[in-house]
Amino acid sequence: MQQHLQAMHIDSDANRMIVDNGLLRIESNLRTGTLSYQWKDGSALRDLFSEVTVGSERLRTTAYSGHQVVAGSIQSIEDGFGKGVSWCVEHAMADRPVLRQHFSVYENHPYTFVELQAEQELEWETNDMTPLAALRNDGTCLAFGQPSAGDVRVLFVPFDNDKWVRYGSYPIPCAVESCEATAIYNAESRHGFVLGSVTHDFWKTGLQVEGTFVGEVAQLRVFGGLSGMQTRDTVPHGSARGKLNVSPRIFVGYFEDYREGMEAYGRANAVVAPMLPWDGGVPFGWNSWSAVMSKLDFDVYTHTSDFIKQELNNGGDEFVGTESVYVNFDSFWDRLSAEELREAVRRVKANGQKPGIYCSPFAYWGKDPERPLEGYEEQYRYRDILLKDDAGNLLPTLDGAYAIDISHPAAIERIRRKLDSFVELGFDYVKADFLSHGALEGRHYDPAVRTGIEAYNRGMAVIRDTLAPERIGRPFFINLSIAPLFPHGYAHSRRISCDAFGLIGDTEYMLNALTYGWWINDTLYRYNDPDHTVLYKSDNQRASAWHEGRSRLTASVIAGTSLLLGDDYRMEEAADRARAWMTHPDVMALAHRRYVPAGGGRKRQQVGECFRAC
């Protein structure tokens, strides 16, 4: 049978099912249960299969005896991706769950989506569903249509930004397990494949790529059920349970420039789950952590607010260019008295600025789990709301803190109360930290919550909804510090790296995240956050040399997003550098510009021109 549907060519018979949109051809072999993708230039992914783990068995589509296109499943579709076609290929065998591969492809897009569903009559469970896998010892799972001689690499994307984790680009031969997304690309031509999950409601998605000879891929596996060191987990991924279980939905694309592919992947995620919108301007200002860390007090906070108004604004708007100037408390703000906290907020607002504050809602920093829970002293102790393993033992601490079980009603109410107190005090910005604790696998209080990502979605929705402008009557900026990359849609910005201070190594580290994570900006989050920009001295380091300080500022400016300073301006050199560098109108105007990936090179050139003019 041949047909044309929505500019698609569809060809099917008893042996195969082919859909071609002119850029990408998807073929299911109905004799072997395999799948292949081939792009216009001849690039291909070959002999792919799907599989699911049931008990100790891995059930592969290639081992099933029956393969067919589900009758009536070929449908025209139109959604946020445009016009396209969807269809389903079913794999069946006696006494095994039925495996169904659900596909969709769209006009004018060099990418497609695939999702695996597995169903049987009785409830069953699995913690490993693999929509795409390939294993060819001759290294031909993947092929570039154009000559790929040179440096073929695999991109490692971290699950979160904790513990100074880094993005990585590894030349084949290598074995890489990336989190949620990867690119396999030629470093010289930049031709490349991009694969990743676009659903983040239940699974942590892993992508395993292995090659044993230069430029060859012998194993590829994209699966739901990632757990281990990269995800900070000490127990296995939770299990899906039901008659019908569903994998993550996977984006599969090939691009002449893999960087365009990563941007397309980011936009695809934003179609499925839009980023949290923000119209309040680019956040500029100051954060206390690097400047004073645990020495935070009323004096440094209010002195900084006065300094920004008197020295950086200088009666005009050279520093800010908009009304969005934030002066932010970080950790240890709770050492101020209630009177000092209220006076600090009043002082900042009197200076025409917006006060910000800090919390770590999913982490318990106390050493005694038997401590009574504030507000529930007669009912709960902290142990009751901490995450446990299947034996009922508390999970090991992460970064020195216990993980809170955010499926527990008291834990949820604790978060709401804290955020409501921030609103009542007059704050307009919150930095939420150590959020990966909320995504850890474990046995949750609510049995309906079966995975860490399910719990994380629940907790983040509470933060977003509690601070929603329609609820509190004003905009409230939500910034994520240490947090998983996915799921998104709950905050306006996310720190692109772990702590980055003022030395040249800190600048290099932050730029690693910008180099490989630029595509996150204005797709998953309104802003990538390059962290506090230290021009002179972080409290935990020696003073930055003049060129180190300038490098740190330049790196923040080319990030093209928020710019929060991180010095103690009671130090003369810190104040002098800020006066000299932060009042240059061209540099500040450039920093305020929204980062546009296609113009990134031009923006970096403009940065250099601006600083040379300083």
Side-chain angles (χ1 to χ4, degrees), residues 120-143:
Q120 64 181 19
E121 291 184 2
L122 300 177
E123 279 198 346
W124 61 289
E125 63 181 71
T126 180
N127 71 347
D128 187 332
M129 296 191 73
T130 303
L132 289 178
L135 180 61
R136 291 180 64 102
N137 288 329
D138 60 3
T140 59
C141 294
L142 172 153

Side-chain angles (χ1 to χ4, degrees), residues 260-368:
E260 294 177 358
M262 295 305 299
E263 291 168 11
Y265 170 70
R267 292 191 297 270
N269 274 278
V271 169
V272 176
M275 68 179 177
L276 191 64
W278 178 255
D279 298 319
V282 182
F284 270 44
W286 180 81
N287 176 273
S288 69
W289 180 246
S290 67
V292 289
M293 296 190 173
S294 63
K295 302 182 184 71
L296 176 62
D297 59 17
F298 176 84
D299 180 69
V300 69
Y301 185 78
T302 54
H303 179 275
T304 301
S305 176
D306 293 343
F307 176 81
I308 290 174
K309 177 180 175 61
Q310 297 163 9
E311 303 289 343
L312 301 187
N313 285 87
N314 194 26
D317 62 359
E318 290 89 346
F319 172 52
V320 290
T322 73
E323 73 284 0
S324 302
V325 185
Y326 295 89
V327 182
N328 293 348
F329 285 112
D330 206 285
S331 188
F332 295 100
W333 61 264
D334 51 357
R335 293 185 176 180
L336 277 69
S337 68
E339 293 75 16
E340 286 178 318
L341 205 57
R342 291 187 181 277
E343 175 57 22
V345 170
R346 188 205 65 78
R347 180 89 152 262
V348 167
K349 290 189 172 184
N351 282 336
Q353 302 151 357
K354 298 180 179 181
I357 200 162
Y358 171 95
C359 68
S360 52
F362 304 158
Y364 170 57
W365 296 95
K367 302 302 180 185
D368 181 13

Side-chain angles (χ1 to χ4, degrees), residues 437-563:
H437 287 69
L440 292 177
E441 302 300 326
R443 188 189 67 191
H444 290 85
Y445 173 84
D446 182 349
V449 176
R450 300 187 62 85
T451 72
I453 291 299
E454 274 194 310
Y456 184 82
N457 275 285
R458 182 178 292 193
M460 293 304 297
V462 169
I463 294 173
R464 178 198 61 197
D465 297 345
T466 302
L467 298 175
E470 56 270 23
R471 178 178 183 269
I472 67 174
R474 66 176 191 269
F476 201 108
F477 194 89
I478 304 172
N479 168 260
L480 308 186
S481 185
I482 290 175
L485 177 57
F486 294 105
H488 60 286
Y490 299 111
H492 304 106
S493 70
R494 174 184 175 271
R495 197 171 64 179
I496 197 169
S497 60
C498 195
D499 291 338
F501 300 106
L503 304 184
I504 198 66
D506 297 294
T507 299
E508 184 275 335
Y509 168 64
M510 190 280 285
L511 287 175
N512 166 269
L514 180 61
T515 297
Y516 295 110
W518 83 96
W519 54 272
I520 300 163
N521 190 72
D522 212 23
T523 56
L524 309 184
Y525 300 89
R526 183 63 184 83
Y527 303 115
N528 273 342
D529 174 8
D531 205 10
H532 35 38
T533 301
V534 181
L535 305 183
Y536 176 57
K537 188 180 187 309
S538 177
D539 185 69
N540 65 333
Q541 293 178 332
R542 64 164 172 83
S544 301
W546 188 90
H547 284 98
E548 286 181 306
R550 286 288 287 262
S551 296
R552 186 69 180 92
L553 177 58
T554 302
S556 294
V557 170
I558 68 170
T561 58
S562 60
L563 181 56

Side-chain angles (χ1 to χ4, degrees), residues 83-94:
K83 294 180 179 180
V85 173
S86 65
W87 69 100
C88 175
V89 174
E90 181 178 277
H91 310 268
M93 187 166 63

